[in-house]
Amino acid sequence: SQQGEEDPQALSIQEGENATMNCSYKTSINNLQWYRQNSGRGLVHLILIRSNEREKHSGRLRVTLDTSKKSSSLLITASRAADTASYFCATDKTSGSRLTFGEGTQLTVNP
Amino acid sequence: GAVVSQHPSRVICKSGTSVKIECRSLDFQATTMFWYRQFPKQSLMLMATSNEGSKATYEQGVEKDKFLINHASLTLSTLTVTSAHPEDSSFYICSARGTSVPDTQYFGPGTRLTVL
C-alpha cells in the first residue's frame, strides 16, 4: 500500500511562478526521493535527500525534509512550461530497500 | 547518467496470448530490478523485485504464475504476462538499481500494454 500522500493532487501555475509540492509519509525512512514523470513516460530521478539532511538544492529545485513531521516539500523556482509533469515522492526504510511512492502531484505550467 | 531501456514501448495483443517485456540496464550492472504497474492518473504499484540469478519476490496480491519474471543477467530482466486478459491492460515500468548508487532506482520509459 502507498504510504505517501502528496498535496496538492493538482497544481496549475503560470510560467515564471514557483511551484511547491508536499509529501507526507507514515513510517521512519532512510531516504526520500523525488521523481518526475511526463505523461506516458518513465520516471526521471530528480533529487535524493537523506533522513539526516534538512534541505537540498539542485538547480531550480529545492527539497526540504522534516522528519519530526514526516513530511517533505519540493520547490521548483521560476517554472517553465517544460516542467509540466507529475511529481512523485518515494521513500525507503533502509538503504537499497524497496521504494514506496506517494500518490503524486500533477503540475501544469501555463506559458 | 544511468540508462534503462524497455522493449517494446507499446504492445497490443489478443486476450489469451502471452506478452514479454524486456528491461535492460544499458551502462551499468543492475543487481536488482523492480517491476511496477501504473494505472491512469495513479501512482506506481510495485509488483515484484528481482535479483540477478535468483527467484523474484512478488508483492502481496500479485500472481507469480501470471506475471513471470526472469532476471537472467546483470543487465536484463523480463516480465512475461501470461494468458493476458483485458484487465491486465496497464502501463508497466521497470527500474534498476546498481551497486555504485544503491539508494537510487533508474526507471525505464515504460511499456503500454493493451489487451483486446
Side-chain angles (χ1 to χ4, degrees), chain A residues 2 6 30-31 33 35 37 40-45 48 50 88 92 94-99 101-104, chain B residues 32 34 36 38 41-46 49 59 91 93 95 97 101-110 112:
Chain A
Q2 301 290 339
E6 293 173 67
N30 176 53
N31 300 311
Q33 305 181 54
Y35 288 86
Q37 183 181 35
R41 308 295 293 273
L43 274 69
V44 174
H45 183 260
L48 178 152
R50 302 193 184 281
F88 295 92
D92 61 15
T94 58
S95 179
S97 66
R98 55 173 290 177
L99 293 179
F101 282 84
E103 297 302 316
Chain B
T32 305
F34 303 85
Y36 296 85
Q38 185 180 33
K41 299 189 184 301
Q42 293 188 22
S43 187
L44 281 70
M45 181 188 76
L46 180 64
T49 302
E59 295 299 302
F91 193 56
I93 308 176
S95 70
R97 185 179 68 205
V101 189
D103 292 339
T104 299
Q105 292 182 25
Y106 298 97
F107 285 79
R112 172 74 59 194

Side-chain angles (χ1 to χ4, degrees), chain B residues 26-62:
Chain B
L26 299 185
D27 52 2
F28 69 102
Q29 292 187 326
T31 52
T32 305
M33 286 186 169
F34 303 85
W35 287 96
Y36 296 85
R37 186 173 181 176
Q38 185 180 33
F39 292 105
K41 299 189 184 301
Q42 293 188 22
S43 187
L44 281 70
M45 181 188 76
L46 180 64
M47 298 174 66
T49 302
S50 74
N51 294 296
E52 186 266 337
S54 61
K55 289 184 178 180
T57 302
Y58 289 81
E59 295 299 302
Q60 191 173 10
V62 178

Side-chain angles (χ1 to χ4, degrees), chain A residues 4-22:
Chain A
E5 296 180 357
E6 293 173 67
D7 75 273
Q9 289 187 330
L11 178 62
S12 181
I13 60 174
Q14 294 300 121
E15 208 164 26
E17 294 180 339
N18 295 341
T20 299
M21 290 159 273
N22 302 296

Side-chain angles (χ1 to χ4, degrees), chain B residues 58-73:
Chain B
Y58 289 81
E59 295 299 302
Q60 191 173 10
V62 178
E63 299 176 58
K64 59 182 178 182
D65 295 331
K66 172 105 179 130
F67 299 99
L68 301 178
I69 292 172
N70 186 300
H71 192 163
S73 75

